[in-house]
Amino acid sequence: MEFVVEPWHWFVLGILLILSELIIPAFAALWFGIAAIMVCFLYWLFPDISLTTQIVLWIILSVLCTILWFKFIKPLSIDRTKAGLPREATIGQIGMVIQTGLAHDQIIVRFPMPILGADEWNCRSTSPVKVGDRVRVIDISGNDLIVQPHSTS
């Protein structure tokens, strides 16, 4: 008795590969599973496809899915915050003064991307600044950032 591959075999293989991502931390079996499900639908639409062609299609679609993931989808999920980064990553960041005249000579500075989890910080300036000035972080003191006016030259 000869074993005949049916479209549902590819579907089951695809589901098993996708579910294996729960156990395997590599995040690679997902793309092989999606490709197997795609082969299932292609084989269902075109039942005359040979087993060799099915396997070649599965390999090509697996590679294509993996490339599409790394080229287009993964870059969209990059964390652009500075949360959890060390002191050295905070020093040198440039922000804009949005409020002055707070208690204890503090100012509030907004940064273009979050630093240590927040985009607005209470800061202390080494020299007088006004709202709208750009400042650069030079140190961290407790919960405050120490900033100085940033020259664009």
Side-chain angles (χ1 to χ4, degrees), residues 29 50 63 72 81 117 120 128 146:
S50 70
V63 170
F72 298 108
T81 69
E120 290 183 6
I146 309 299

Side-chain angles (χ1 to χ4, degrees), residues 21-153:
E21 279 298 325
L22 296 172
I23 301 167
I24 303 170
F27 202 58
L30 176 68
W31 310 117
F32 294 109
I34 290 172
I37 292 173
M38 293 168 71
V39 170
C40 162
F41 289 117
L42 287 172
Y43 188 33
W44 181 68
L45 291 172
F46 307 104
D48 296 334
I49 298 176
S50 70
L51 181 59
T52 305
T53 305
Q54 293 173 42
I55 293 171
V56 169
L57 275 173
W58 178 60
I59 292 169
I60 290 170
L61 290 171
S62 296
V63 170
L64 189 65
C65 286
T66 305
I67 289 171
L68 289 174
W69 162 254
F70 283 107
K71 184 76 172 169
F72 298 108
I73 300 169
K74 188 176 181 188
L76 298 176
S77 66
I78 294 174
D79 184 13
R80 289 174 170 45
T81 69
K82 300 288 184 193
L85 292 182
R87 177 178 192 272
E88 292 77 23
T90 304
I91 306 288
Q93 295 295 319
I94 298 171
M96 181 183 295
V97 178
I98 60 170
Q99 189 175 354
T100 59
L102 299 174
H104 308 292
D105 295 324
Q106 289 183 327
I107 59 174
I108 296 180
V109 176
R110 177 175 290 148
F111 295 92
M113 68 176 65
I115 295 176
L116 301 173
D119 59 349
E120 290 183 6
W121 277 85
N122 287 340
C123 299
R124 297 182 189 275
S125 180
T126 58
S127 58
V129 293
K130 58 185 184 294
V131 173
D133 286 352
R134 291 205 163 295
V135 292
R136 185 173 57 86
V137 177
I138 58 170
D139 199 5
I140 300 173
S141 175
N143 290 333
D144 293 339
L145 301 178
I146 309 299
V147 296
Q148 70 181 19
H150 176 67
S151 60
T152 56
S153 57

Side-chain angles (χ1 to χ4, degrees), residues 10-31:
W10 282 105
F11 187 78
V12 169
L13 175 66
I15 296 299
L16 289 174
L17 286 168
I18 290 170
L19 290 176
S20 72
E21 279 298 325
L22 296 172
I23 301 167
I24 303 170
F27 202 58
L30 176 68
W31 310 117

Side-chain angles (χ1 to χ4, degrees), residues 1-10 12 43 51 54-55:
M1 182 173 184
E2 186 178 326
F3 179 73
V4 178
V5 176
E6 297 289 333
W8 67 269
H9 290 117
W10 282 105
V12 169
Y43 188 33
L51 181 59
Q54 293 173 42
I55 293 171

